[in-house]
Amino acid sequence: MSYSRISVLEARLLLESHGDAGVQIVDVRDEQAYQHEHIPHAVHVDNNNLQNFIDNADLGVPLLVYCYHGHISQGAASYLNEQGFNQAYSLDGGYEAWKTY
C-alpha cells in the first residue's frame, strides 16, 4: 500500500474517529513554524530526529503528515509508508489549509 492524500475535512474526520491518541501527527515544517503554531498533538520531525521517530512509532496507527502547503508532506508520507507505516496520509493544502478550514 502507498500513502494517500487527504483533504482537511477527511483529516479532521480521521482524527475525530480515532481520538487524540489514535493518530500520529507529524509536522515536517521548520522548527520555528512548528513552535509558532501546529496541529494539536503533532510532533515535529526533521532529519535530526526522523530515525528516532520511526524507531519509536507504532506502525499500525494511522499517520498524518503535513507541511506548509501539502507538497513536501507527500514525499515524507511516501517515505514513511516505505518504512512500514501502513496508513500514511499527506494533508492536501498543508497547515495553511488546516488553519483556514
Side-chain angles (χ1 to χ4, degrees):
M1 179 184 175
S2 63
Y3 80 95
S4 299
R5 294 171 56 185
I6 60 174
S7 69
V8 172
L9 175 59
E10 291 169 312
R12 289 183 183 273
L13 291 172
L14 177 71
L15 295 172
E16 184 178 296
S17 69
H18 285 83
D20 290 341
V23 177
Q24 299 170 102
I25 308 169
V26 170
D27 185 325
V28 295
R29 300 174 303 152
D30 66 82
E31 179 71 26
Q32 184 177 4
Y34 173 79
Q35 291 298 330
H36 179 62
E37 59 185 349
H38 56 268
I39 295 174
H41 308 287
V43 295
H44 179 254
V45 174
D46 61 17
N47 289 336
N48 296 320
N49 67 348
L50 175 61
Q51 192 58 53
N52 186 56
F53 171 77
I54 293 169
D55 292 345
N56 293 296
D58 184 340
L59 301 179
V61 173
L63 176 72
L64 176 64
V65 183
Y66 70 93
C67 59
Y68 290 101
H69 301 286
H71 303 292
I72 294 171
S73 61
Q74 291 179 48
S78 177
Y79 177 78
L80 290 166
N81 175 254
E82 292 168 2
Q83 302 310 303
F85 288 88
N86 296 325
Q87 298 177 54
Y89 302 96
S90 173
L91 180 62
D92 277 347
Y95 189 75
E96 292 301 311
W98 176 272
K99 70 180 187 178
T100 60
Y101 182 82

